[in-house]
Amino acid sequence: MGEHKLMVALLILFFWAVSLNAATATDDCTAVTGLVSTCAAFINFASPAPYLGSPCCEAMVSLKLFADSTYNRRLVCRCLLSFINTYNPNATAIASLPGVCGVSLGFTIDSNTDCNLNI
């Protein structure tokens, strides 16, 4: 009887930990989306172009600072690719943001990019 309670407690703990990881990933993508949305005018209308020091380029710098490890770069990559899939007509504008702002994220923003390889 004691082993059964222990097993149930371990299963509850396991599912709780899994749900925390899922929530963290969602929160991180929310942060990435929030940073990219600073560039909404450029993404939607291709104008005005972001420039160094603009809120959009400052957001790209923040994104680069966040992508400071392999894990975070992969996370940013997955979030940006999800963003591109959601806003497909604006994919080119989204993909060009880091370059326009003189920032390298360590990977190419492209629908063919595999975020788990070479990042």
Side-chain angles (χ1 to χ4, degrees), residues 36 38-51 56 87 89-97 100:
V36 174
T38 307
C39 308
F42 179 71
I43 292 169
N44 290 319
F45 307 111
S47 178
Y51 54 90
C56 176
Y87 300 98
N90 307 41
T92 302
I94 296 166
S96 70
L97 283 171
V100 168

mmCIF file of all heavy atoms in Angstrom, residues 36 38-51 56 87 89-97 100:
data_model
loop_
_atom_site.group_PDB
_atom_site.id
_atom_site.type_symbol
_atom_site.label_atom_id
_atom_site.label_comp_id
_atom_site.label_asym_id
_atom_site.label_seq_id
_atom_site.Cartn_x
_atom_site.Cartn_y
_atom_site.Cartn_z
ATOM 1 N N VAL A 36 9.977 40.862 -30.842
ATOM 2 C CA VAL A 36 9.804 40.999 -32.297
ATOM 3 C C VAL A 36 8.639 41.940 -32.626
ATOM 4 O O VAL A 36 8.701 42.687 -33.596
ATOM 5 C CB VAL A 36 9.616 39.607 -32.951
ATOM 6 C CG1 VAL A 36 9.279 39.741 -34.426
ATOM 7 C CG2 VAL A 36 10.866 38.767 -32.774
ATOM 8 N N THR A 38 7.927 44.594 -31.378
ATOM 9 C CA THR A 38 8.406 45.983 -31.371
ATOM 10 C C THR A 38 8.650 46.460 -32.801
ATOM 11 O O THR A 38 8.611 47.647 -33.082
ATOM 12 C CB THR A 38 9.710 46.082 -30.546
ATOM 13 O OG1 THR A 38 9.476 45.519 -29.265
ATOM 14 C CG2 THR A 38 10.166 47.498 -30.391
ATOM 15 N N CYS A 39 8.872 45.512 -33.683
ATOM 16 C CA CYS A 39 9.157 45.817 -35.091
ATOM 17 C C CYS A 39 7.912 45.669 -35.965
ATOM 18 O O CYS A 39 8.016 45.482 -37.182
ATOM 19 C CB CYS A 39 10.263 44.891 -35.590
ATOM 20 S SG CYS A 39 11.739 44.881 -34.559
ATOM 21 N N ALA A 40 6.736 45.749 -35.391
ATOM 22 C CA ALA A 40 5.482 45.464 -36.106
ATOM 23 C C ALA A 40 5.302 46.321 -37.358
ATOM 24 O O ALA A 40 4.863 45.818 -38.388
ATOM 25 C CB ALA A 40 4.294 45.638 -35.170
ATOM 26 N N ALA A 41 5.636 47.597 -37.293
ATOM 27 C CA ALA A 41 5.442 48.459 -38.470
ATOM 28 C C ALA A 41 6.280 47.958 -39.639
ATOM 29 O O ALA A 41 5.789 47.857 -40.768
ATOM 30 C CB ALA A 41 5.794 49.905 -38.136
ATOM 31 N N PHE A 42 7.540 47.625 -39.371
ATOM 32 C CA PHE A 42 8.410 47.124 -40.437
ATOM 33 C C PHE A 42 7.928 45.768 -40.936
ATOM 34 O O PHE A 42 7.899 45.515 -42.138
ATOM 35 C CB PHE A 42 9.856 47.022 -39.943
ATOM 36 C CG PHE A 42 10.794 46.484 -40.979
ATOM 37 C CD1 PHE A 42 11.151 47.250 -42.088
ATOM 38 C CD2 PHE A 42 11.318 45.210 -40.870
ATOM 39 C CE1 PHE A 42 12.012 46.753 -43.057
ATOM 40 C CE2 PHE A 42 12.180 44.700 -41.832
ATOM 41 C CZ PHE A 42 12.532 45.475 -42.925
ATOM 42 N N ILE A 43 7.511 44.900 -40.019
ATOM 43 C CA ILE A 43 7.046 43.567 -40.402
ATOM 44 C C ILE A 43 5.792 43.664 -41.266
ATOM 45 O O ILE A 43 5.674 42.981 -42.278
ATOM 46 C CB ILE A 43 6.781 42.698 -39.154
ATOM 47 C CG1 ILE A 43 8.098 42.377 -38.450
ATOM 48 C CG2 ILE A 43 6.041 41.420 -39.518
ATOM 49 C CD1 ILE A 43 7.938 41.746 -37.086
ATOM 50 N N ASN A 44 4.874 44.526 -40.902
ATOM 51 C CA ASN A 44 3.602 44.618 -41.623
ATOM 52 C C ASN A 44 3.661 45.469 -42.882
ATOM 53 O O ASN A 44 2.955 45.188 -43.846
ATOM 54 C CB ASN A 44 2.512 45.152 -40.695
ATOM 55 C CG ASN A 44 2.142 44.155 -39.634
ATOM 56 O OD1 ASN A 44 2.036 42.966 -39.901
ATOM 57 N ND2 ASN A 44 1.965 44.620 -38.413
ATOM 58 N N PHE A 45 4.478 46.521 -42.873
ATOM 59 C CA PHE A 45 4.441 47.476 -43.984
ATOM 60 C C PHE A 45 5.791 47.686 -44.661
ATOM 61 O O PHE A 45 5.892 48.481 -45.591
ATOM 62 C CB PHE A 45 3.921 48.832 -43.489
ATOM 63 C CG PHE A 45 2.613 48.725 -42.757
ATOM 64 C CD1 PHE A 45 2.541 48.960 -41.396
ATOM 65 C CD2 PHE A 45 1.444 48.369 -43.431
ATOM 66 C CE1 PHE A 45 1.343 48.853 -40.713
ATOM 67 C CE2 PHE A 45 0.246 48.267 -42.750
ATOM 68 C CZ PHE A 45 0.188 48.503 -41.389
ATOM 69 N N ALA A 46 6.843 46.988 -44.179
ATOM 70 C CA ALA A 46 8.208 47.138 -44.692
ATOM 71 C C ALA A 46 8.700 48.572 -44.589
ATOM 72 O O ALA A 46 9.607 48.987 -45.303
ATOM 73 C CB ALA A 46 8.317 46.618 -46.119
ATOM 74 N N SER A 47 8.095 49.334 -43.721
ATOM 75 C CA SER A 47 8.475 50.722 -43.530
ATOM 76 C C SER A 47 7.913 51.183 -42.194
ATOM 77 O O SER A 47 6.827 50.737 -41.800
ATOM 78 C CB SER A 47 7.902 51.556 -44.667
ATOM 79 O OG SER A 47 8.212 52.906 -44.490
ATOM 80 N N PRO A 48 8.530 52.021 -41.469
ATOM 81 C CA PRO A 48 9.892 52.514 -41.693
ATOM 82 C C PRO A 48 10.916 51.438 -41.342
ATOM 83 O O PRO A 48 10.690 50.609 -40.467
ATOM 84 C CB PRO A 48 10.000 53.689 -40.713
ATOM 85 C CG PRO A 48 9.090 53.323 -39.587
ATOM 86 C CD PRO A 48 7.954 52.547 -40.229
ATOM 87 N N ALA A 49 12.028 51.484 -42.051
ATOM 88 C CA ALA A 49 13.092 50.515 -41.792
ATOM 89 C C ALA A 49 13.700 50.803 -40.425
ATOM 90 O O ALA A 49 13.917 51.956 -40.066
ATOM 91 C CB ALA A 49 14.152 50.605 -42.872
ATOM 92 N N PRO A 50 13.938 49.756 -39.656
ATOM 93 C CA PRO A 50 14.589 49.968 -38.354
ATOM 94 C C PRO A 50 16.006 50.505 -38.550
ATOM 95 O O PRO A 50 16.628 50.277 -39.585
ATOM 96 C CB PRO A 50 14.617 48.587 -37.720
ATOM 97 C CG PRO A 50 14.044 47.637 -38.691
ATOM 98 C CD PRO A 50 13.667 48.362 -39.917
ATOM 99 N N TYR A 51 16.503 51.207 -37.582
ATOM 100 C CA TYR A 51 17.860 51.756 -37.634
ATOM 101 C C TYR A 51 18.504 51.533 -36.264
ATOM 102 O O TYR A 51 17.804 51.328 -35.260
ATOM 103 C CB TYR A 51 17.841 53.241 -38.004
ATOM 104 C CG TYR A 51 16.962 54.055 -37.095
ATOM 105 C CD1 TYR A 51 17.467 54.628 -35.932
ATOM 106 C CD2 TYR A 51 15.609 54.235 -37.387
ATOM 107 C CE1 TYR A 51 16.644 55.360 -35.079
ATOM 108 C CE2 TYR A 51 14.784 54.958 -36.544
ATOM 109 C CZ TYR A 51 15.312 55.527 -35.398
ATOM 110 O OH TYR A 51 14.497 56.234 -34.546
ATOM 111 N N CYS A 56 13.061 48.901 -32.341
ATOM 112 C CA CYS A 56 13.107 47.602 -33.024
ATOM 113 C C CYS A 56 14.505 47.004 -32.949
ATOM 114 O O CYS A 56 14.678 45.840 -32.589
ATOM 115 C CB CYS A 56 12.660 47.767 -34.478
ATOM 116 S SG CYS A 56 12.781 46.251 -35.451
ATOM 117 N N TYR A 87 2.912 34.314 -39.433
ATOM 118 C CA TYR A 87 2.840 35.523 -40.265
ATOM 119 C C TYR A 87 3.593 35.302 -41.565
ATOM 120 O O TYR A 87 4.438 36.091 -41.954
ATOM 121 C CB TYR A 87 3.419 36.722 -39.498
ATOM 122 C CG TYR A 87 2.674 36.996 -38.233
ATOM 123 C CD1 TYR A 87 3.135 36.535 -37.009
ATOM 124 C CD2 TYR A 87 1.465 37.676 -38.270
ATOM 125 C CE1 TYR A 87 2.424 36.760 -35.845
ATOM 126 C CE2 TYR A 87 0.751 37.909 -37.110
ATOM 127 C CZ TYR A 87 1.234 37.451 -35.901
ATOM 128 O OH TYR A 87 0.527 37.665 -34.750
ATOM 129 N N PRO A 89 3.147 35.679 -44.839
ATOM 130 C CA PRO A 89 3.363 36.700 -45.866
ATOM 131 C C PRO A 89 4.462 37.698 -45.494
ATOM 132 O O PRO A 89 5.033 38.347 -46.353
ATOM 133 C CB PRO A 89 2.014 37.410 -45.967
ATOM 134 C CG PRO A 89 1.029 36.445 -45.406
ATOM 135 C CD PRO A 89 1.777 35.649 -44.373
ATOM 136 N N ASN A 90 4.775 37.805 -44.218
ATOM 137 C CA ASN A 90 5.762 38.766 -43.753
ATOM 138 C C ASN A 90 7.078 38.083 -43.361
ATOM 139 O O ASN A 90 7.906 38.682 -42.684
ATOM 140 C CB ASN A 90 5.210 39.524 -42.553
ATOM 141 C CG ASN A 90 3.858 40.127 -42.838
ATOM 142 O OD1 ASN A 90 3.011 39.505 -43.461
ATOM 143 N ND2 ASN A 90 3.625 41.323 -42.386
ATOM 144 N N ALA A 91 7.267 36.853 -43.805
ATOM 145 C CA ALA A 91 8.434 36.065 -43.403
ATOM 146 C C ALA A 91 9.740 36.746 -43.779
ATOM 147 O O ALA A 91 10.692 36.744 -42.988
ATOM 148 C CB ALA A 91 8.365 34.670 -44.016
ATOM 149 N N THR A 92 9.818 37.348 -44.946
ATOM 150 C CA THR A 92 11.056 37.994 -45.381
ATOM 151 C C THR A 92 11.410 39.158 -44.472
ATOM 152 O O THR A 92 12.571 39.328 -44.087
ATOM 153 C CB THR A 92 10.926 38.482 -46.833
ATOM 154 O OG1 THR A 92 10.614 37.351 -47.655
ATOM 155 C CG2 THR A 92 12.200 39.117 -47.324
ATOM 156 N N ALA A 93 10.424 39.952 -44.106
ATOM 157 C CA ALA A 93 10.676 41.085 -43.214
ATOM 158 C C ALA A 93 11.156 40.599 -41.855
ATOM 159 O O ALA A 93 12.113 41.136 -41.289
ATOM 160 C CB ALA A 93 9.412 41.940 -43.057
ATOM 161 N N ILE A 94 10.516 39.558 -41.335
ATOM 162 C CA ILE A 94 10.910 39.012 -40.037
ATOM 163 C C ILE A 94 12.329 38.466 -40.112
ATOM 164 O O ILE A 94 13.159 38.741 -39.238
ATOM 165 C CB ILE A 94 9.929 37.916 -39.580
ATOM 166 C CG1 ILE A 94 8.534 38.515 -39.357
ATOM 167 C CG2 ILE A 94 10.428 37.224 -38.317
ATOM 168 C CD1 ILE A 94 7.419 37.490 -39.225
ATOM 169 N N ALA A 95 12.627 37.727 -41.162
ATOM 170 C CA ALA A 95 13.948 37.117 -41.311
ATOM 171 C C ALA A 95 15.047 38.165 -41.474
ATOM 172 O O ALA A 95 16.192 37.937 -41.067
ATOM 173 C CB ALA A 95 13.951 36.172 -42.507
ATOM 174 N N SER A 96 14.723 39.315 -42.031
ATOM 175 C CA SER A 96 15.737 40.334 -42.277
ATOM 176 C C SER A 96 16.032 41.221 -41.067
ATOM 177 O O SER A 96 17.020 41.943 -41.056
ATOM 178 C CB SER A 96 15.317 41.216 -43.458
ATOM 179 O OG SER A 96 14.217 42.038 -43.091
ATOM 180 N N LEU A 97 15.188 41.162 -40.044
ATOM 181 C CA LEU A 97 15.333 42.072 -38.905
ATOM 182 C C LEU A 97 16.726 42.076 -38.265
ATOM 183 O O LEU A 97 17.311 43.152 -38.092
ATOM 184 C CB LEU A 97 14.272 41.775 -37.844
ATOM 185 C CG LEU A 97 12.888 42.304 -38.163
ATOM 186 C CD1 LEU A 97 11.873 41.764 -37.158
ATOM 187 C CD2 LEU A 97 12.889 43.818 -38.165
ATOM 188 N N VAL A 100 19.252 43.798 -40.636
ATOM 189 C CA VAL A 100 18.993 45.230 -40.782
ATOM 190 C C VAL A 100 19.520 45.983 -39.568
ATOM 191 O O VAL A 100 20.015 47.105 -39.679
ATOM 192 C CB VAL A 100 17.469 45.487 -40.970
ATOM 193 C CG1 VAL A 100 17.130 46.953 -40.839
ATOM 194 C CG2 VAL A 100 17.009 44.948 -42.312
#
